[in-house]
Amino acid sequence: MCGIFCLLSLSPTHFEWDKTVYGHLKRRGPNSSRDLTVTNGNPCYQCIFSAHVLHMRGLLTAQPVQDDKGNVLVWNGEVFGGVTVIPEENDTAVVSQCLSSCSSSSEILSVLSSIQGPWGFVYYQRAGDYLWFGRDFFGRRSLLWKIDAEVLMLSSSAWQEVPAVGVYRIDLKAATVSGTMTFEVYPWAHAENDVPSSCIQTISESIPNSCTAVMNHSGLVLSSPVCPLNMSIPESLSETVIHPNSHLSFKDLEQLLASKEKNDEVNFLIDALSKAVRRRVLCLPFESQGSSPFINSRASVAILFSGGIDSMILAALADRHIPAHEPIDLLNVAFKLQEPKMQTESAKKQRKHKNKPTDSKTNEAGLRTSCPFDVPDRITGKAGLKELQDLNPERRWNFVEINVTQEELQKMRQERICHLVYPLDTVLDDSIGCAVWFAARGTGFIREGGEQSPFTSSAKVILTGIGADEQLAGYSRHRARFKTSGHEGLIQELAMELGRISSRNLGRDDRVIGDHGKEARFPYLDENVVSYLNSVPVWEKADLSLPRGVGEKLLLRLAAKQLGLGKSAVLPKRAMQFGSRIAKMENSHEKASDKCTRLLTG
């Protein structure tokens, strides 16, 4: 992963770094920094490239990469398939070589279409004087732009997000003659005649009136890396009737697994997810505190961990592929519960009488909850840790308790996080952005033998479960849509989810996690996983006639059962902002979609 930057000026201008932007980029890439300027006097333009590398695989390759033809690449991505990268090679160098061999636009598109994995890039093609840039199909890597008159700036941080609808090309010769920039768009599509009609409109809303976005004149497209969503609707299944039994449990999953057909679907999903996790946890720089890799080894991989089904499955599958002597860090974030307000004596008596049969300091799992950081995700996280220890007692599972006070939240939000969440600006973006930032920092403590010790995760790779809810109907809005519009409405909702995931989630999460010099990886958004889930009829992935904790993400719950997990397989969905209790720290009357004044950067 890298922090990348490019400035294109259509006239000779003196450029000075914005220190805030430069600081964000250097934190993303702590292992190497370099700048490169390309100028051309006829026609007159200037390109300034800057890249800051987080070394992840092969030999450390400094960026920008300039080949012997004068082409320049800044690359923020990982190649997990489609283009061959052997363990000893660096993917930036391989991508540069592939692009260097291209002599036409269609060949460049062929290379980009074939790459499986997240990426954002800027590429200067000397022959023809072209500047290419864009993001992968899902927008898993952040790329933002700022356009002022004759200047275009592209960066991993700051400004407005580049729409992840395709890749863009600027004809630099034409731009210098006209004095304005025209963005030729090469969209993602399943076929040439399958280009979304809103593609150009989406881009036009993001650029000033002095610039133009047009579909490329050759009609070329990037081949979609995933198959189309299965839009079939069941003929015999009840549309919206909710199952009368609201207490389906772990045993019910066993009954649902009984049919061979269901078993096959579950095994296909496990296989696809297992391969996706394997690609994301192998060939990492090994970290060790001691002279022997088997003594005091430090984790290379961490998981954003709540003990819910998404993170539990990632942990169970990571356990299959990470060397047995290497720990796995489970990052569990909690925001301090506020002191309760003073109550009248009568209210206290009523509450005491109401709660008399239970111990207020314990929860249903028997864990004490008197600690101000015993938020729901901490409780389910500890229960999930126990399941993983039972699954593999030989593995060292570092359950990192990351505790955040209101004072530290307010301080770090203003100093760092608000700049990373931008341009997103809602209460929900504030809650999730802050929670993910503190979790990814990995600074907390672990418990050993009843004692707690300060601990900071060394892992450069952080697995996150984003994408599971969007594909498997995990959100409450999916259940509401199913109730009002049946399977047809649910399918439309799921199609919309993946279509907007780049602008709602992924750019933000990439910036927030990358700020620690760590890389976010998204196994549930692996191209092969998404293609498989897209091919499965919606009622096989989720059965929202069943109650919460079973019906949503049903196929994933069955996979959890197959993997040997326990009660975590039937935990209802709990959003991160509620499970970590960050939503309770500020104004509890806010709505998630409200503009968040706390994110104002001044």
Side-chain angles (χ1 to χ4, degrees):
M1 185 200 75
C2 303
I4 62 176
F5 174 89
C6 173
L7 178 142
L8 165 64
S9 174
L10 299 182
S11 61
T13 56
H14 177 66
F15 172 71
E16 291 186 2
W17 274 105
D18 181 324
K19 292 183 180 179
T20 301
V21 174
Y22 196 73
H24 290 321
L25 295 176
K26 284 186 70 69
R27 283 195 291 271
R28 289 178 63 88
N31 300 126
S32 170
S33 295
R34 193 162 72 179
D35 303 333
L36 175 68
T37 300
V38 173
T39 58
N40 195 326
N42 185 25
C44 183
Y45 61 81
Q46 177 179 245
C47 291
I48 300 173
F49 298 92
S50 182
H52 309 267
V53 178
L54 174 68
H55 179 220
M56 299 300 294
R57 63 202 292 186
L59 296 174
L60 174 60
T61 301
Q63 295 192 49
V65 175
Q66 186 172 31
D67 65 19
D68 54 8
K69 298 177 182 178
N71 303 312
V72 178
L73 173 68
V74 285
W75 172 260
N76 173 27
E78 293 287 347
V79 178
F80 293 131
V83 172
T84 300
V85 181
I86 62 177
E88 296 78 19
E89 289 182 314
N90 179 272
D91 62 338
T92 303
V94 172
V95 171
S96 177
Q97 292 166 8
C98 291
L99 292 175
S100 179
S101 67
C102 297
S103 57
S104 66
S105 297
S106 60
E107 291 178 352
I108 287 179
L109 296 179
S110 178
V111 170
L112 295 173
S113 295
S114 66
I115 295 173
Q116 294 182 8
W119 49 264
F121 83 108
V122 185
Y123 182 62
Y124 171 67
Q125 188 181 12
R126 182 72 178 176
D129 294 281
Y130 295 120
L131 190 72
W132 296 80
F133 61 95
R135 304 162 70 189
D136 71 81
F137 181 79
F138 298 114
R140 289 165 288 187
R141 288 291 174 259
S142 175
L143 187 65
L144 303 103
W145 58 7
K146 182 179 181 181
I147 309 167
D148 293 322
E150 296 181 338
V151 175
L152 165 69
M153 287 186 281
L154 297 158
S155 171
S156 301
S157 183
W159 314 316
Q160 300 298 313
E161 290 187 332
V162 175
V165 297
V167 298
Y168 305 75
R169 190 183 78 165
I170 300 174
D171 184 326
L172 299 176
K173 288 181 180 178
T176 52
V177 171
S178 65
T180 61
M181 296 184 197
T182 297
F183 301 101
E184 293 181 86
V185 183
Y186 297 81
W188 292 103
H190 294 292
E192 290 183 6
N193 59 356
D194 190 33
V195 178
S197 58
S198 61
C199 178
I200 296 299
Q201 180 182 350
T202 300
I203 300 166
S204 298
E205 292 172 352
S206 304
I207 61 177
N209 293 332
S210 59
C211 300
T212 307
V214 298
M215 200 66 67
N216 72 87
H217 300 304
S218 303
L220 297 172
V221 299
L222 289 152
S223 299
S224 171
V226 299
C227 73
L229 181 66
N230 187 325
M231 307 292 284
S232 61
I233 299 173
E235 296 179 1
S236 59
L237 292 181
S238 174
E239 284 286 285
T240 61
V241 177
I242 306 301
H243 199 286
N245 180 4
S246 61
H247 302 288
L248 292 181
S249 64
F250 187 71
K251 291 183 178 179
D252 294 286
L253 293 180
E254 294 179 333
Q255 296 178 5
L256 289 169
L257 268 175
S259 71
K260 182 180 184 301
E261 182 180 358
K262 183 66 70 176
N263 238 317
D264 289 344
E265 290 174 353
V266 171
N267 289 331
F268 275 126
L269 177 58
I270 291 174
D271 183 59
L273 270 174
S274 181
K275 290 176 180 176
V277 170
R278 181 180 183 275
R279 284 189 283 268
R280 286 159 177 80
V281 302
L282 295 185
C283 302
L284 300 177
F286 182 76
E287 302 244 5
S288 179
Q289 294 173 324
S291 57
S292 168
F294 298 96
I295 301 175
N296 296 323
S297 60
R298 301 167 66 191
S300 296
V301 175
I303 300 168
L304 295 185
F305 189 76
S306 67
I309 184 172
D310 305 342
S311 58
M312 285 292 291
I313 282 183
L314 293 183
L317 292 176
D319 181 53
R320 287 184 171 186
H321 304 297
I322 294 174
H325 64 269
E326 190 173 330
I328 296 175
D329 290 348
L330 307 175
L331 308 179
N332 184 272
V333 66
F335 292 81
K336 187 176 181 180
L337 296 171
Q338 301 303 297
E339 294 294 329
K341 295 180 179 179
M342 294 296 292
Q343 297 177 321
T344 64
E345 286 300 316
S346 60
K348 290 180 179 178
K349 289 179 180 178
Q350 290 176 4
R351 183 170 179 176
K352 182 178 180 180
H353 177 74
K354 182 179 179 181
N355 296 332
K356 190 174 182 180
T358 61
D359 180 358
S360 62
K361 293 185 178 182
T362 62
N363 64 74
E364 61 185 10
L367 297 171
R368 293 183 63 83
T369 59
S370 57
C371 172
F373 294 104
D374 276 346
V375 301
D377 278 0
R378 178 62 48 81
I379 295 166
T380 56
K382 288 178 178 178
L385 170 65
K386 180 66 168 60
E387 285 190 31
L388 293 173
Q389 289 172 333
D390 291 341
L391 198 66
N392 185 357
E394 302 302 317
R395 169 79 64 188
R396 181 182 174 89
W397 301 95
N398 289 327
F399 184 75
V400 189
E401 299 185 41
I402 300 161
N403 297 334
V404 186
T405 64
Q406 188 172 38
E407 293 73 22
E408 187 177 18
L409 168 63
Q410 293 172 345
K411 178 177 184 291
M412 299 314 300
R413 177 195 282 122
Q414 288 305 308
E415 289 183 7
R416 301 270 283 274
I417 303 170
C418 63
H419 302 285
L420 301 165
V421 172
Y422 185 85
L424 304 186
D425 60 2
T426 69
V427 170
L428 181 63
D429 293 313
D430 172 51
S431 295
I432 296 180
C434 290
V436 171
W437 190 88
F438 280 104
R441 187 174 66 169
T443 299
F445 64 88
I446 58 176
R447 298 179 187 272
E448 296 180 284
E451 300 292 327
Q452 66 180 48
S453 306
F455 185 89
T456 297
S457 174
S458 62
K460 286 186 176 182
V461 165
I462 298 181
L463 302 183
T464 166
I466 192 168
D469 290 305
E470 287 79 1
Q471 297 180 80
L472 291 153
Y475 293 123
S476 58
R477 61 178 174 267
H478 297 140
R479 195 171 282 275
R481 186 67 184 273
F482 174 74
K483 188 174 182 179
T484 58
S485 306
H487 286 96
E488 184 174 1
L490 178 59
I491 290 170
Q492 292 172 358
E493 194 78 13
L494 293 180
M496 180 179 67
E497 292 284 6
L498 277 186
R500 68 184 185 182
I501 197 171
S502 63
S503 59
R504 284 174 64 95
N505 304 90
L506 294 174
R508 176 199 66 211
D509 289 358
D510 177 66
R511 293 190 295 276
V512 166
I513 293 174
D515 191 56
H516 300 292
K518 300 179 181 184
E519 182 171 285
R521 295 187 174 179
F522 313 99
Y524 290 106
L525 291 173
D526 178 89
E527 287 81 355
N528 293 328
V529 171
V530 176
S531 281
Y532 174 65
L533 288 175
N534 274 0
S535 72
V536 177
V538 66
W539 65 90
E540 298 287 358
K541 295 183 287 191
D543 184 353
L544 300 188
S545 68
L546 298 176
R548 290 183 70 241
V550 177
E552 75 278 13
K553 298 188 285 193
L554 175 61
L555 197 60
L556 199 62
R557 297 183 187 283
L558 294 169
K561 169 65 180 65
Q562 195 87 316
L563 288 170
L565 298 177
K567 290 183 178 180
S568 60
V570 290
L571 281 177
K573 164 70 180 178
R574 185 193 296 118
M576 187 178 197
Q577 65 271 27
F578 301 121
S580 67
R581 280 298 188 259
I582 187 174
K584 295 289 186 181
M585 268 206 156
E586 307 286 356
N587 183 355
S588 60
H589 298 293
E590 294 173 319
K591 295 181 180 178
S593 58
D594 288 347
K595 299 291 183 183
C596 183
T597 57
R598 296 182 296 278
L599 287 175
L600 294 177
T601 59

